[in-house]
Amino acid sequence: MISILFNWIYIFITTFMTGFLFTKFITQKLHYKILHISNILLCGIIIATVYAQLFSLIYKIGFLANVLLLLVCVAAFLFWHDEVLALLTDALKKNGLTRTILQLGLILVWSYFTSRGHIHYDSDLYHAQSIRWLEEYGIVKGLGNIHVRFAYNSSFFALSALYSMKFLLKQSLHTVNGFIALLLSFEVLKLIDIVRRKKRMLSDFARIGAFLYLTRIYDEFISPASDYATMYIVFIIVINWLLLLETDMKSTVPFALLCIAGTYAVSLKLTAGLILLLTLKPAYQLIKKKLWKEIIFYFLLGFVILTPWMIRTAIISGYLLYPFPELDVLHVDWKISSELAAADAAEIKTWGRGLKNAALVDLPISEWFCSWFHTTLPAPGKLIIAADILCMPLFAAMIVHSVKNRSRAVIRIQPDQLLVLGTVVASYIYWQLSAPLLRYGYAYVLLVVMLTAGIIKERLSESAFIQNHVKIRLLLQKTFHVSLFALVAAMLVFAANYMYRLRSMPYYVSQADYGTYALCSYEINGVTFYYPESGDRVGYNAFPAIPRKLSITFRGDGLQDGFTGNHKNE
């Protein structure tokens, strides 16, 4: 826990200072100030990720990368220290004593969860090795040829490598998921404001969804899985978007910046792409006002975020986007064969559908949905998916009812709310029809039902019938508060029980390491490769490690030269 807390302090300092520099840039270019600490940190996380990916293109991510980052942060602080300290002091004052104490408590509890728990299967399959390749070499041509999962190339792994501190400690820390989860939990903590404002907003329902997600995966904060980071960012984007609507934000800038954060989500996991449907709002406003320079500016920001990720993907796999062999525009000797890429894409879909056979990838949903629903989903997942399916006709009915009865609609959905709900519905449908493994789309699964419920509740509360019946209105309010309190209390009991059961684990100073496995080894071109005796997981410590023994062809003399394609199992 102690190593995690120090690591988080370092992450906070560097992301805050880089985020602060970005806010200065935005203020100068767009005349808009980003003042909330959480938003500054989000900007800093994005910048740190882009920086790590760019650095990996020229050198390994380790000591030098951190020294240069720290020098920039120190220089920025020395130049703007008065402004930085004033910003932090003002934020602390506005925070209040109660919220500050609760946040400190969350930091301790979250560090506890991040110090121990369940290392996700894929983390020991390829996440750990992906991070180690970044620590040891940065970028290697054709790396996906020795393990196709390396070609997924989530930008999250570069961020994890930047903050792993392997050069300083005996182990490679994996704390970034816990840090971003902490930021999301601070946003969830704003649910206590319901008592003060005596009003439930649509963003509160999104926060409840985030709360359910965090309490579902707190035992896996320790894993450097890109799925979790993607879901955190999606929740943060949606919650902040709704907050802007609720404060009647007139400026286009914050909406556009959240869309830029959406491009970051895409670099974390390609399947988050439909979050960019939110771009319709700022794009419409900018085009309507003919602000062409601003449009180009935002486009360039998105381009800067996505370009290093796409370059890395091209170098690792030979494709601009992987696994999409249809986008075969590069002619390089390290390209993963199109047959292998297509088979990998099919395997992802069928695995998510619970089919376990890539040959069944074209099976219609009518033939796999029921089996998937009954065999792959936990009981809470079944309940939420059933609610999501029920929300689909409700969503359609709200749209039709709003269009036909603009002035008389009881449950009329506002255009801005329609865009948000439509975005998460579209994301959910894409997830459901592609690779519906729950962890790939938990945010969409939860947000569809929570936002639908929030909109219906909001519209019913505004109806003349409810307004004229005070007792019914009070009953609905009390039911909401009691249900929310019962939900929070139940989840806290589960979390406390989990903490109690893991109390004897010796991770109060350092963090639990990746898993260890019985491995075999063989030598090619003077390099020893490791592979598991059984299964396909290899962990972190043995390097380079692959899931099975392959006939590997080097492009040059060593690992740094990369690998060519068309390898076969031995």
Side-chain angles (χ1 to χ4, degrees):
M1 285 179 63
I2 294 175
S3 64
I4 292 169
L5 290 172
F6 277 109
N7 186 247
W8 283 355
I9 291 171
Y10 176 68
I11 295 175
F12 176 86
I13 291 171
T14 52
T15 55
F16 177 79
M17 289 309 306
T18 52
F20 173 80
L21 288 174
F22 180 76
T23 64
K24 299 290 290 184
F25 174 67
I26 290 298
T27 300
Q28 181 183 5
K29 292 293 183 181
L30 302 173
H31 310 293
Y32 178 85
K33 289 187 177 181
I34 302 174
L35 298 175
H36 292 290
I37 301 298
S38 59
N39 293 335
I40 294 174
L41 289 172
L42 177 60
C43 293
I45 288 170
I46 295 172
I47 292 169
T49 306
V50 173
Y51 165 73
Q53 291 180 99
L54 288 171
F55 197 91
S56 73
L57 297 177
I58 56 174
Y59 196 58
K60 62 184 180 180
I61 303 176
F63 175 74
L64 183 58
N66 278 274
V67 167
L68 294 177
L69 177 63
L70 200 54
L71 285 174
V72 170
C73 293
V74 170
F77 178 77
L78 291 175
F79 192 82
W80 284 291
H81 63 277
D82 288 336
E83 191 173 341
V84 170
L85 293 175
L87 185 61
L88 291 172
T89 303
D90 184 59
L92 194 59
K93 288 179 179 178
K94 289 180 179 178
N95 212 31
L97 181 60
T98 301
R99 195 186 302 271
T100 300
I101 292 173
L102 289 173
Q103 288 177 344
L104 290 174
L106 277 173
I107 291 171
L108 290 176
V109 172
W110 258 223
S111 66
Y112 181 93
F113 289 146
T114 309
S115 69
R116 68 205 69 199
H118 174 64
I119 294 285
H120 193 277
Y121 190 99
D122 283 0
S123 290
D124 282 335
L125 174 65
Y126 76 98
H127 298 163
Q129 287 286 316
S130 294
I131 292 169
R132 183 148 186 192
W133 276 99
L134 286 158
E135 293 169 342
E136 302 284 349
Y137 291 97
I139 189 73
V140 173
K141 293 177 179 178
L143 185 61
N145 284 302
I146 65 172
H147 192 346
V148 290
R149 298 293 177 92
F150 291 152
Y152 293 167
N153 180 41
S154 170
S155 63
F156 182 72
F157 299 144
L159 183 67
S160 297
L162 180 65
Y163 291 121
S164 71
M165 301 293 114
K166 176 64 184 299
F167 63 90
L168 188 63
L169 305 172
K170 292 181 179 180
Q171 68 176 115
S172 177
L173 295 178
H174 29 100
T175 70
V176 180
N177 256 332
F179 183 81
I180 304 176
L182 187 63
L183 295 185
L184 179 58
S185 68
F186 285 177
E187 191 59 56
V188 170
L189 194 59
K190 292 180 182 178
L191 284 170
I192 64 176
D193 293 335
I194 292 176
V195 177
R196 173 183 53 79
R197 54 178 145 85
K198 297 180 180 179
K199 181 182 179 182
R200 277 76 53 203
M201 300 189 298
L202 190 55
S203 60
D204 291 327
F205 286 84
R207 290 188 185 95
I208 295 172
F211 172 77
L212 290 171
Y213 181 64
L214 290 171
T215 53
R216 169 64 184 84
I217 51 93
Y218 58 73
D219 59 335
E220 297 185 35
F221 287 169
I222 189 173
S223 288
S226 57
D227 303 309
Y228 305 142
T230 307
M231 297 299 99
Y232 300 150
I233 297 300
V234 168
F235 271 118
I236 289 172
I237 290 171
V238 172
I239 291 171
N240 277 279
W241 192 281
L242 293 172
L243 273 173
L244 292 173
L245 297 180
E246 290 157 356
T247 55
D248 197 25
M249 174 59 65
K250 300 300 183 184
S251 173
T252 305
V253 177
F255 292 105
L257 291 178
L258 283 176
C259 291
I260 301 303
T263 64
Y264 174 63
V266 173
S267 77
L268 292 172
K269 197 168 185 68
L270 190 59
T271 51
L274 288 182
I275 195 68
L276 293 179
L277 286 173
L278 292 173
T279 307
L280 292 172
K281 177 181 174 65
Y284 171 77
Q285 293 175 334
L286 291 169
I287 293 172
K288 184 179 179 181
K289 296 176 183 177
K290 298 182 180 181
L291 299 175
W292 308 117
K293 289 184 178 180
E294 284 81 355
I295 291 174
I296 294 172
F297 178 77
Y298 292 125
F299 176 82
L300 289 175
L301 284 180
F303 180 79
V304 168
I305 290 173
L306 290 177
T307 298
W309 167 69
M310 293 186 71
I311 291 174
R312 280 188 50 80
T313 302
I315 294 175
I316 291 173
S317 69
Y319 299 92
L320 291 178
L321 298 175
Y322 183 89
F324 289 95
E326 298 83 3
L327 300 176
D328 188 0
V329 297
L330 302 176
H331 303 286
V332 291
D333 63 358
W334 64 80
K335 181 184 298 181
I336 298 173
S337 68
S338 58
E339 294 81 7
L340 184 57
D344 191 31
E347 184 177 321
I348 295 169
K349 290 183 179 180
T350 51
W351 182 264
R353 298 169 183 176
L355 298 175
K356 309 296 189 295
N357 186 346
L360 301 176
V361 66
D362 295 323
L363 202 66
I365 187 172
S366 60
E367 296 186 30
W368 59 259
F369 180 85
C370 289
S371 174
W372 165 83
F373 185 87
H374 289 292
T375 61
T376 68
L377 295 176
K382 289 183 174 70
L383 183 63
I384 299 170
I385 293 297
D388 285 334
I389 294 172
L390 180 62
C391 286
M392 297 299 146
L394 286 174
F395 174 60
M398 281 190 284
I399 296 174
V400 173
H401 193 55
S402 298
V403 172
K404 288 186 175 181
N405 306 277
R406 298 193 178 208
S407 60
R408 297 181 291 107
V410 176
I411 309 177
R412 186 180 71 255
I413 186 168
Q414 298 174 359
D416 284 328
Q417 291 179 336
L418 171 61
L419 178 60
V420 179
L421 182 55
T423 297
V424 297
V425 166
S427 298
Y428 166 79
I429 293 173
Y430 175 74
W431 168 83
Q432 183 68 81
L433 296 178
S434 55
L437 200 61
L438 202 52
R439 63 185 171 89
Y440 293 167
Y442 232 131
Y444 321 127
V445 169
L446 287 166
L447 283 170
V448 166
V449 64
M450 294 311 303
L451 294 186
T452 302
I455 290 170
I456 292 175
K457 183 264 168 197
E458 185 179 278
R459 294 295 169 261
L460 287 176
S461 297
E462 295 172 355
S463 68
F465 177 80
I466 298 296
Q467 291 296 324
N468 293 332
H469 292 76
V470 178
K471 289 184 178 180
I472 295 178
R473 186 169 72 251
L474 293 176
L475 178 61
L476 289 174
Q477 291 176 356
K478 186 175 291 186
T479 301
F480 176 84
H481 291 152
V482 170
S483 300
L484 180 58
F485 177 80
L487 175 65
V488 172
M491 293 304 180
L492 290 178
V493 169
F494 292 146
N497 179 59
Y498 177 79
M499 293 177 68
Y500 180 78
R501 288 189 289 109
L502 271 59
R503 70 191 186 283
S504 61
M505 290 186 171
Y507 302 120
Y508 291 95
V509 175
S510 59
Q511 183 185 35
D513 211 342
Y514 294 101
T516 55
Y517 302 88
L519 301 176
C520 302
S521 64
Y522 67 114
E523 188 174 299
I524 297 180
N525 205 32
V527 177
T528 300
F529 287 86
Y530 300 88
Y531 65 96
E533 288 184 3
S534 61
D536 54 5
R537 289 182 291 177
V538 294
Y540 174 90
N541 292 320
F543 180 83
I546 50 180
R548 62 190 61 85
K549 190 175 182 180
L550 298 172
S551 175
I552 295 173
T553 305
F554 285 72
R555 294 185 65 254
D557 297 327
L559 294 176
Q560 68 277 3
D561 297 314
F563 312 94
T564 60
N566 300 316
H567 301 315
K568 297 180 179 180
N569 295 342
E570 287 194 347

